[in-house]
Short mmCIF file of all heavy atoms in Angstrom, two decimals:
data_model
loop_
_atom_site.label_atom_id
_atom_site.label_comp_id
_atom_site.label_asym_id
_atom_site.label_seq_id
_atom_site.Cartn_x
_atom_site.Cartn_y
_atom_site.Cartn_z
N ILE A 207 70.10 33.15 54.31
CA ILE A 207 68.90 33.91 53.92
C ILE A 207 69.30 35.22 53.25
O ILE A 207 68.71 35.64 52.24
CB ILE A 207 68.01 34.16 55.15
CG1 ILE A 207 67.43 32.84 55.66
CG2 ILE A 207 66.88 35.14 54.80
CD1 ILE A 207 66.68 32.97 56.96
N GLY A 208 70.33 35.88 53.78
CA GLY A 208 70.82 37.13 53.21
C GLY A 208 71.30 36.95 51.78
O GLY A 208 71.03 37.76 50.89
N VAL A 209 72.02 35.85 51.56
CA VAL A 209 72.52 35.57 50.21
C VAL A 209 71.36 35.32 49.26
O VAL A 209 71.34 35.81 48.11
CB VAL A 209 73.48 34.36 50.24
CG1 VAL A 209 73.82 33.91 48.81
CG2 VAL A 209 74.74 34.72 50.99
N ILE A 210 70.37 34.55 49.70
CA ILE A 210 69.21 34.26 48.85
C ILE A 210 68.45 35.54 48.49
O ILE A 210 68.07 35.76 47.34
CB ILE A 210 68.28 33.25 49.55
CG1 ILE A 210 68.98 31.89 49.69
CG2 ILE A 210 66.98 33.09 48.79
CD1 ILE A 210 68.21 30.87 50.49
N VAL A 211 68.21 36.40 49.51
CA VAL A 211 67.51 37.67 49.27
C VAL A 211 68.29 38.54 48.30
O VAL A 211 67.72 39.15 47.37
CB VAL A 211 67.26 38.41 50.61
CG1 VAL A 211 66.73 39.81 50.35
CG2 VAL A 211 66.29 37.62 51.47
N TYR A 212 69.62 38.60 48.50
CA TYR A 212 70.47 39.42 47.62
C TYR A 212 70.38 38.93 46.17
O TYR A 212 70.26 39.71 45.23
CB TYR A 212 71.90 39.39 48.12
CG TYR A 212 72.88 40.06 47.20
CD1 TYR A 212 72.99 41.45 47.17
CD2 TYR A 212 73.67 39.30 46.33
CE1 TYR A 212 73.88 42.06 46.30
CE2 TYR A 212 74.56 39.91 45.47
CZ TYR A 212 74.66 41.30 45.45
OH TYR A 212 75.53 41.90 44.58
N MET A 213 70.45 37.60 45.98
CA MET A 213 70.38 37.05 44.63
C MET A 213 69.02 37.32 44.00
O MET A 213 68.91 37.63 42.81
CB MET A 213 70.66 35.54 44.68
CG MET A 213 72.11 35.19 45.05
SD MET A 213 72.38 33.40 45.15
CE MET A 213 72.07 32.95 43.43
N TYR A 214 67.97 37.22 44.82
CA TYR A 214 66.62 37.45 44.30
C TYR A 214 66.45 38.90 43.84
O TYR A 214 65.95 39.17 42.74
CB TYR A 214 65.60 37.11 45.39
CG TYR A 214 64.17 37.40 44.99
CD1 TYR A 214 63.47 36.55 44.13
CD2 TYR A 214 63.53 38.54 45.47
CE1 TYR A 214 62.17 36.82 43.76
CE2 TYR A 214 62.22 38.82 45.10
CZ TYR A 214 61.54 37.96 44.24
OH TYR A 214 60.25 38.23 43.89
N ILE A 215 66.92 39.85 44.69
CA ILE A 215 66.83 41.27 44.33
C ILE A 215 67.68 41.58 43.10
O ILE A 215 67.27 42.33 42.20
CB ILE A 215 67.24 42.15 45.52
CG1 ILE A 215 66.24 41.98 46.67
CG2 ILE A 215 67.33 43.61 45.11
CD1 ILE A 215 66.65 42.72 47.93
N SER A 216 68.87 40.99 43.04
CA SER A 216 69.75 41.22 41.90
C SER A 216 69.11 40.73 40.60
O SER A 216 69.21 41.40 39.56
CB SER A 216 71.09 40.52 42.13
OG SER A 216 71.74 41.07 43.27
N ARG A 217 68.45 39.60 40.61
CA ARG A 217 67.82 39.04 39.42
C ARG A 217 66.66 39.94 38.96
O ARG A 217 66.45 40.15 37.77
CB ARG A 217 67.32 37.65 39.67
CG ARG A 217 68.46 36.62 39.84
CD ARG A 217 67.94 35.25 40.05
NE ARG A 217 67.22 34.79 38.84
CZ ARG A 217 66.62 33.60 38.75
NH1 ARG A 217 66.63 32.77 39.79
NH2 ARG A 217 66.02 33.25 37.64
N LYS A 218 65.90 40.50 39.91
CA LYS A 218 64.78 41.39 39.55
C LYS A 218 65.31 42.66 38.88
O LYS A 218 64.73 43.16 37.91
CB LYS A 218 63.97 41.75 40.79
CG LYS A 218 63.13 40.59 41.32
CD LYS A 218 62.12 41.05 42.35
CE LYS A 218 61.09 41.92 41.71
NZ LYS A 218 60.01 42.32 42.64
N LYS A 219 66.41 43.20 39.41
CA LYS A 219 66.99 44.38 38.80
C LYS A 219 67.46 44.12 37.38
O LYS A 219 67.31 44.94 36.49
CB LYS A 219 68.16 44.91 39.66
CG LYS A 219 67.71 45.55 40.96
CD LYS A 219 68.90 46.08 41.73
CE LYS A 219 68.48 46.77 43.02
NZ LYS A 219 69.64 47.31 43.77
N LEU A 220 68.04 42.95 37.17
CA LEU A 220 68.50 42.59 35.83
C LEU A 220 67.32 42.48 34.85
O LEU A 220 67.40 42.90 33.71
CB LEU A 220 69.26 41.26 35.87
CG LEU A 220 70.67 41.31 36.53
CD1 LEU A 220 71.22 39.90 36.65
CD2 LEU A 220 71.59 42.21 35.69
#
Side-chain angles (χ1 to χ4, degrees):
I207 293 173
V209 170
I210 294 174
V211 171
Y212 173 79
M213 292 178 64
Y214 176 77
I215 295 174
S216 297
R217 290 182 65 182
K218 288 192 67 176
K219 289 182 178 181
L220 288 173

